[in-house]
Amino acid sequence: MKVISVRNLTKRFGSFTAVDNITFDIEQGEIFGFLGANGAGKTTAMRMLCGLSRPTSGEASVAGYDLYKNANRIKENIGYMSQKFSLYEDLTIRENIRFYGGIYGLSLSDIRSKTNLLVKKLKLEDSINSLVKSLPLGWKQKLALSVAMIHDPKIVFLDEPTGGVDPITRREFWTLIFEAADRGTTVFVTTHYMDEAEYCNRVAIMVDGQVEALDTTGVLKAKYAAKDMGEVFLQLARKAKRGDG
Amino acid sequence: MRQFLFFVKKEFYHLVRDRQTFFILLCLPLALILIFGFALTNEVKNSRIAVLDNSKDKATRAIIDQLEASRYFDILEYIPSNDKLEATFRSGKIKLAVVFPPNFNQELLHTNTATIQLIGDASDPNTSNALINYATAVIMDYQAGFRNAAEIPLRINTEIRMLYNPQLKGSYNFVPGVMAMVLMLVCAIMTSISIAREKEIGTMEVILVSPIVPMRLVFAKMVPYFLMSVVNIGSILLLSVYVLDVPIQGNLVLLILECMMFTIASLALGLLISSISNSQQVAMLLSVVVLFLPTAMLSGFMFPVENMPAVLRFISHAVPARWFYTTVINIMIKGLGFEYVWKETLILAVMTVFFLAVSILNFKTRLE
Amino acid sequence: MQAVEVNNIRKTFKAGKSVVTALHDISFGVDRGELFGLIGPDGAGKTTLFRILTTLMLAGSGTASVDGFDVVKDFKQIRKRVGYMPGRFSLYQDLTVQENLSFFATLFNTSIKENYDLIKDIYIQIEKFKKRKAGALSGGMKQKLALCCALIHKPSVLFLDEPTTGVDAVSRREFWELLHNLQKQTITILVSTPYMDEAGLCDRVALVQEGRILGIDTPEAITKQFDQVLWSARAENMFKLLTDLKAQQEVNSCFPFGQEHHVTFNGSEENARLVETRLNQLGHKSVRFEKINPGIEDCFMELMEQHKKS
């Protein structure tokens, strides 16, 4: 079942085409890696799919809803987490969970049971009433991911979720992603860590606003005769002409 | 020196490239002058009033003529009798009625005292208060002229009392107040924000890890705001002379020098604020609470210092704007010379030096 | 005399009522002309250490010197000699590329012309944008401009705090090439990064975690210290492989590592064969175990675990 379907999606800012006619489908339960150099158009594409930015042209449906007509329904069915904005540092863990649960319209009893479940899973029982800012970064990111999925969204969008996180926590974080995908949640993720690209079922690489390559990691590596995804990425990203947007 | 000039140039880039802020700062004096000058003023020109003259004698005629001659009043109606008075008010056409008792002149001459009733429409207390004040002033004027002519001092009582503003110059007092507010805003708030911004974007870190004395950069920061303030002083003075018809009675050079000193004091205060705030938001809030509000509320501009509770009156001594405000009133409105403002000037000068010294000593050469 | 000497530096911060120790008595030295990497995640104390060395902060205890000058006593001398690129984007967004560069040149009482040789290689890459505002540059370009600004006064020691964070792989690689070129000009470079794969690009690295140095040596020597046999494991279903591997009692550690999992075993190598057979029984297809050489990241994780235990 396709949960994301994108056809000729384009976004222009004045004379600048940030996203240029991209087309792809994402299946349910897939971990979909979205790579690209700075300024390749990743963020713009992601914002459109989250219903935050209106496309200039093209079509797309996310979680079964049309991007133009049902942007609000889309937002109910997706989770979003980024390195830059995730949790409120000056609220406690419990308050953050409660707030995001409330945003997605969960009932109080649901929020309570979810809170217990989530905190237990992340082994945060002892610090449930401490401020998020007192947590180490890695814990924050794991918590943020769990909170982004508190309403059991069909798709979760992760924008560079592991930047600056220590290597062990980074892997724990990815274990959470694997588990979510195993449960049937579709994961759409951007990253600068090339080893993380290997964890994805399929990877799209954007260059100058276009999807330059899209396939499973195995096929891509064979096609570009590369030993890992890092090499594939370098080969493609070096083609970039606009480099600077 | 070449270094310093380059720093100044850089600050000008910041100032001019932030179009919105630049525009707001330039238009601020205009906006404030217009708001205070026309919207909030309690001065009323050509107001329609009614007269009920139960005496119709020489004295009442003379007073009515003077009322009519003043630019504050237009006599709309002569009410024939007391019972029509209320109806006229209710029609909403007038805000004030002047009622002369029967035998006004006679009483005045025989008992040396007479009473005029001034009835205001209290539904608009500000306007009616102002009108009553003006009317009272006109009557006093008449009385004064009368006194010169006669041997025995005569007294006309008005049934209301003078609530405030005895010199009737209230409407012009806001010009010095606006000046204090604009200078505070441009100098103190903008300086502190612009230093806090350098901390926020991280450039302060690089500047601190360089051989220059950071104060040099900070002083360069002050230059554009100082010049901007000079422009603002000029525009306020021009506006007040040509738009509000408030002439500058005293020495223009002295006035401008006093303004510049207050500008420097404000810049020093901005610097002081910036040394204790690490974000633009904190700098902004601190400036508003610690600098801007006292300037507006405690300088004597909105509320007379004499009428303040003792505690606030005491605090007001520490507000530079209070001394500045008095100085400007004295020079600009009353036309007094330096011999009348030297005390305030001295206090302001001491404050300026003090703030500058504290902020320089307090300036941190490290991040913590 | 080393370019940078750090002796027992400790730094604590107050966080509400509690006291957080950002640096636990750290000591190390950096030789002249060395490209030295501080590798560690966010919150390891890298920025605090750089701020102490660049005289922006005072250490709680311990001493440090840069270029032979004490960071407390001779801070003015140090400020003349070091270049510093903070982690945050530290340029004026509203000034153009050229104006930013002139500003920093003026700050150090020099001019672009005077030290143009040093920045030439970097500057020609951004020169075509010299009239563009710094705020409108992409991440990689901003990084290059910031590097130019930090170099404009020909510093003897250069401190780069996470210059490649959030920058794409291509720009990162280019940035490291620039650093290697700079090194040839006998500038000592200290660079911090959360990317473990960048460790191999340094002469020596210090692995830092939670305010402590876990290990310090050349990248090769560090990987040699790895005292277990490391295996890579592959199978068709990698996620199932991960969970099944973690469930085996013979498995000491198992982490996903790109296209494979890195596994260490308790006891003898025989256990590897044992687990392999068991995985085949569990229905895994094309299971493949291979002995491999550990990388910096393997070492970092091992050191982290060791530290947690002690």
Side-chain angles (χ1 to χ4, degrees):
Chain A
M1 196 186 82
K2 291 181 179 63
V3 286
I4 296 181
S5 174
V6 176
R7 294 283 170 278
N8 306 320
L9 203 63
T10 299
K11 177 79 184 186
R12 282 191 205 94
F13 298 104
S15 63
F16 177 71
T17 310
V19 173
D20 190 1
N21 210 23
I22 58 172
T23 298
F24 57 82
D25 292 310
I26 301 177
E27 296 287 328
Q28 196 206 334
E30 233 187 320
I31 300 176
F32 189 83
F34 203 55
L35 310 184
N38 301 112
K42 278 180 309 193
T43 309
T44 313
M46 197 150 157
R47 290 175 71 91
M48 285 194 283
L49 294 180
C50 291
L52 295 173
S53 163
R54 210 180 157 78
T56 311
S57 66
E59 284 162 43
S61 83
V62 176
Y65 296 101
D66 186 88
L67 206 56
Y68 295 91
K69 290 181 211 136
N70 287 316
N72 283 331
R73 296 307 300 273
I74 290 177
K75 287 177 193 168
E76 289 166 19
N77 285 286
I78 62 169
Y80 176 79
M81 177 213 156
S82 90
Q83 187 199 351
K84 284 156 216 130
F85 172 78
S86 41
L87 301 169
Y88 291 98
E89 298 260 304
D90 52 352
L91 296 185
T92 65
I93 295 179
R94 189 196 294 280
E95 286 158 356
N96 265 293
I97 299 175
R98 168 122 189 222
F99 172 75
Y100 281 103
I103 278 191
Y104 287 106
L106 266 58
S107 71
L108 277 183
S109 60
D110 269 0
I111 292 178
R112 214 168 295 135
S113 62
K114 289 253 179 192
T115 305
N116 291 336
L117 219 69
L118 198 155
V119 169
K120 207 165 167 189
K121 183 157 181 238
L122 297 177
K123 300 192 184 74
L124 284 170
E125 289 105 323
D126 294 338
S127 30
I128 183 159
N129 287 322
S130 41
L131 296 183
V132 163
K133 71 174 156 205
S134 69
L135 293 178
L137 176 76
W139 288 28
K140 275 185 216 168
Q141 298 303 81
K142 283 192 283 180
L143 179 65
L145 175 63
S146 309
V147 169
M149 295 193 293
I150 193 160
H151 56 301
D152 298 317
K154 289 189 180 141
I155 308 159
V156 57
F157 289 88
L158 307 175
D159 192 4
E160 290 177 34
T162 53
V165 176
D166 73 69
I168 292 184
T169 316
R170 201 150 70 80
R171 285 168 174 83
E172 290 169 358
F173 188 91
W174 270 92
T175 308
L176 290 176
I177 295 182
F178 295 144
E179 285 168 10
D182 207 43
R183 287 196 306 267
T185 310
T186 308
V187 180
F188 186 103
V189 58
T190 72
T191 180
H192 284 315
Y193 290 98
M194 286 304 132
D195 58 326
E196 292 184 348
E198 310 275 0
Y199 303 148
C200 303
N201 299 112
R202 285 194 304 151
V203 170
I205 299 178
M206 279 194 85
V207 178
D208 291 350
Q210 292 171 330
V211 173
E212 193 65 34
L214 196 175
D215 219 313
T216 62
T217 52
V219 172
L220 286 176
K221 279 181 281 192
K223 187 174 170 192
Y224 292 93
K227 71 171 181 356
D228 54 29
M229 283 306 294
E231 259 183 41
V232 175
F233 180 76
L234 285 180
Q235 281 188 36
L236 285 167
R238 284 223 161 110
K239 285 190 198 163
K241 291 198 177 58
R242 85 183 177 210
D244 239 63
Chain B
M1 198 59 206
R2 189 188 69 89
Q3 203 182 27
F4 185 75
L5 284 179
F6 186 86
F7 291 164
V8 171
K9 201 164 96 186
K10 160 191 166 271
E11 294 308 325
F12 267 108
Y13 288 148
H14 290 318
L15 183 65
V16 176
R17 286 187 187 162
D18 186 356
R19 291 276 163 80
Q20 281 181 319
T21 310
F22 186 63
F23 186 74
I24 290 172
L25 291 181
L26 269 188
C27 294
L28 193 72
L30 184 70
L32 285 178
I33 291 278
L34 290 181
I35 289 168
F36 283 99
F38 297 105
L40 295 183
T41 182
N42 41 21
E43 183 198 12
V44 191
K45 278 182 192 167
N46 301 331
S47 296
R48 293 165 172 187
I49 61 168
V51 173
L52 171 54
D53 189 355
N54 291 320
S55 181
K56 293 202 172 73
D57 54 38
K58 199 176 96 198
T60 62
R61 179 92 337 115
I63 292 173
I64 291 168
D65 283 349
Q66 281 202 6
L67 280 172
E68 180 120 62
S70 99
R71 62 196 177 98
Y72 304 118
F73 303 113
D74 264 347
I75 296 172
L76 183 78
E77 208 175 327
Y78 289 92
I79 301 169
S81 64
N82 279 335
D83 50 327
K84 293 271 164 48
L85 192 64
E86 212 186 325
T88 317
F89 265 109
R90 222 176 271 157
S91 71
K93 280 184 279 187
I94 58 159
K95 294 276 180 226
L96 178 80
V98 182
V99 181
F100 296 97
N103 310 321
F104 179 80
N105 195 28
Q106 226 171 342
E107 212 150 299
L108 190 63
L109 292 174
H110 288 283
T111 63
N112 292 346
T113 170
T115 301
I116 300 176
Q117 203 180 13
L118 297 176
I119 304 169
D121 176 357
S123 64
D124 182 357
N126 285 338
T127 310
S128 56
N129 264 342
L131 286 177
I132 283 172
N133 283 329
Y134 297 143
T136 310
V138 170
I139 293 163
M140 289 302 158
D141 220 25
Y142 168 78
Q143 185 188 329
F146 207 68
R147 191 188 304 162
N148 291 342
E151 294 285 310
I152 318 148
L154 301 175
R155 230 172 71 225
I156 303 173
N157 289 338
T158 45
E159 266 195 356
I160 49 89
R161 287 184 37 219
M162 305 268 267
L163 294 177
Y164 57 88
N165 227 348
Q167 305 111 313
L168 253 194
K169 280 180 178 166
S171 58
Y172 300 147
N173 284 4
F174 73 84
V175 173
V178 164
M179 217 179 271
M181 273 165 44
V182 167
L183 293 181
M184 250 322 150
L185 208 72
V186 172
C187 298
I189 299 188
M190 292 315 293
T191 310
S192 62
I193 287 180
S194 112
I195 296 174
R197 187 187 301 137
E198 302 247 359
K199 292 188 189 175
E200 259 180 34
I201 59 174
T203 41
M204 197 46 111
E205 271 180 67
V206 183
I207 289 163
L208 288 175
V209 186
S210 79
I212 76 143
V213 189
M215 282 319 291
R216 203 171 297 172
L217 185 87
V218 169
F219 279 123
K221 249 180 198 323
M222 294 179 165
V223 173
Y225 295 113
F226 182 80
L227 291 180
M228 179 121 209
S229 302
V230 173
V231 171
N232 279 339
I233 293 167
S235 64
I236 292 173
L237 291 179
L238 285 175
L239 279 170
S240 70
V241 172
Y242 292 104
V243 179
L244 298 172
D245 294 326
V246 184
I248 297 163
Q249 304 282 3
N251 187 326
L252 183 64
V253 177
L254 179 63
L255 180 63
I256 288 175
L257 285 178
E258 295 277 358
C259 288
M260 285 184 175
M261 184 150 79
F262 183 69
T263 307
I264 295 169
S266 309
L267 287 168
L269 280 169
L271 182 55
L272 196 58
I273 295 243
S274 74
S275 67
I276 47 176
S277 39
N278 281 323
S279 70
Q280 296 183 55
Q281 195 179 338
V282 172
M284 178 83 196
L285 281 174
L286 261 181
S287 312
V288 168
V289 173
V290 180
L291 302 181
F292 193 66
L293 289 182
T295 298
M297 305 301 211
L298 299 180
S299 63
F301 152 51
M302 285 193 177
F303 311 107
V305 176
E306 309 85 63
N307 294 0
M308 284 175 199
V311 182
L312 288 183
R313 208 181 316 147
F314 182 73
I315 295 174
S316 78
H317 287 96
V319 178
R322 174 196 163 151
W323 308 107
F324 175 68
Y325 177 75
T326 316
T327 309
V328 176
I329 290 266
N330 283 343
I331 298 174
M332 188 174 163
I333 311 282
K334 296 190 185 158
L336 302 174
F338 185 68
E339 60 272 26
Y340 292 93
V341 294
W342 69 268
K343 216 166 70 191
E344 284 84 359
T345 308
L346 186 67
I347 293 172
L348 209 54
V350 170
M351 279 181 164
T352 308
V353 172
F354 175 76
F355 291 139
L356 266 180
V358 172
S359 50
I360 289 171
L361 288 176
N362 212 18
F363 194 85
K364 296 182 188 77
T365 54
R366 291 196 164 85
L367 281 179
E368 39 175 12
Chain C
M1 185 196 62
Q2 288 183 294
V4 175
E5 284 173 21
V6 178
N7 298 309
N8 296 316
I9 286 284
R10 170 183 280 271
K11 178 76 190 174
T12 52
F13 291 104
K14 273 199 195 114
K17 282 172 200 155
S18 56
V19 174
V20 180
T21 308
L23 295 171
H24 295 269
D25 304 312
I26 280 195
S27 300
F28 67 92
V30 178
D31 287 322
R32 279 186 191 280
E34 211 177 359
L35 176 52
F36 187 88
L38 277 166
I39 318 281
D42 287 5
K46 305 186 298 283
T47 300
T48 308
L49 183 60
F50 273 15
R51 284 181 171 169
I52 289 171
L53 292 177
T54 51
T55 75
L56 281 171
M57 266 185 188
L58 296 172
S61 64
T63 57
S65 71
V66 174
D67 213 3
F69 293 97
D70 185 85
V71 290
V72 182
K73 238 178 28 230
D74 310 317
F75 75 96
K76 283 188 179 153
Q77 289 299 323
I78 292 179
R79 289 180 181 190
K80 279 182 200 158
R81 284 173 170 74
V82 302
Y84 173 46
M85 192 172 142
R88 294 181 282 184
F89 177 54
S90 56
L91 299 164
Y92 296 102
Q93 311 261 5
D94 55 343
L95 298 189
T96 64
V97 168
Q98 201 173 22
E99 285 161 358
N100 265 295
L101 203 52
S102 315
F103 171 74
F104 287 101
T106 315
L107 200 59
F108 289 92
N109 237 330
T110 178
S111 64
I112 302 179
K113 239 185 240 164
E114 220 169 298
N115 291 314
Y116 186 71
D117 282 350
L118 194 60
I119 60 162
K120 194 176 69 192
D121 291 343
I122 314 165
Y123 190 61
I124 44 176
Q125 298 183 38
I126 48 174
E127 201 171 12
K128 58 181 167 180
F129 303 119
K130 67 180 180 188
K131 293 266 186 283
R132 192 183 284 193
K133 303 240 170 79
L137 293 177
S138 77
M141 290 293 160
K142 279 178 188 167
Q143 232 71 13
K144 282 172 194 160
L145 174 57
L147 183 61
C148 280
C149 293
L151 279 171
I152 193 71
H153 59 294
K154 208 170 195 311
S156 54
V157 184
L158 185 60
F159 292 90
L160 308 172
D161 193 6
E162 297 206 6
T164 52
T165 294
V167 176
D168 66 71
V170 176
S171 307
R172 263 163 61 193
R173 197 162 284 202
E174 285 173 7
F175 194 81
W176 277 95
E177 279 163 20
L178 294 175
L179 292 189
H180 284 121
N181 288 338
L182 280 177
Q183 203 191 352
K184 287 178 201 140
Q185 320 232 21
T186 66
I187 295 178
T188 309
I189 304 173
L190 272 80
V191 56
S192 73
T193 177
Y195 296 103
M196 304 281 151
D197 57 339
E198 292 179 349
L201 303 166
C202 304
D203 296 334
R204 281 197 310 141
V205 293
L207 306 182
V208 286
Q209 162 79 0
E210 288 173 349
R212 289 188 172 88
I213 292 183
L214 301 176
I216 182 163
D217 217 321
T218 61
E220 298 75 34
I222 283 191
T223 51
K224 279 196 185 118
Q225 285 165 18
F226 196 83
D227 54 4
Q228 281 171 296
V229 182
L230 187 69
W231 298 78
S232 78
R234 291 195 197 204
E236 254 174 29
N237 186 336
M238 293 297 282
F239 175 55
K240 190 162 179 292
L241 182 67
L242 184 69
T243 32
D244 287 345
L245 273 170
K246 279 184 175 168
Q248 307 300 316
Q249 56 177 31
E250 290 85 357
V251 170
N252 175 43
S253 71
C254 174
F255 294 108
F257 243 91
Q259 43 199 333
E260 53 204 23
H261 298 325
H262 286 189
V263 191
T264 59
F265 293 98
N266 299 316
S268 71
E269 284 189 24
E270 282 309 300
N271 280 336
R273 300 291 154 231
L274 201 76
V275 170
E276 195 175 343
T277 347
R278 215 177 291 153
L279 287 173
N280 280 321
Q281 285 162 1
L282 282 166
H284 281 280
K285 294 210 176 87
S286 29
V287 179
R288 218 169 72 213
F289 273 180
E290 242 175 275
K291 262 192 233 178
I292 52 163
N293 290 324
I296 290 284
E297 196 155 4
D298 295 300
C299 300
F300 194 97
M301 291 196 284
E302 197 201 22
L303 290 166
M304 268 179 83
E305 304 250 285
Q306 277 174 10
H307 180 74
K308 257 184 219 162
K309 278 173 202 154
S310 65

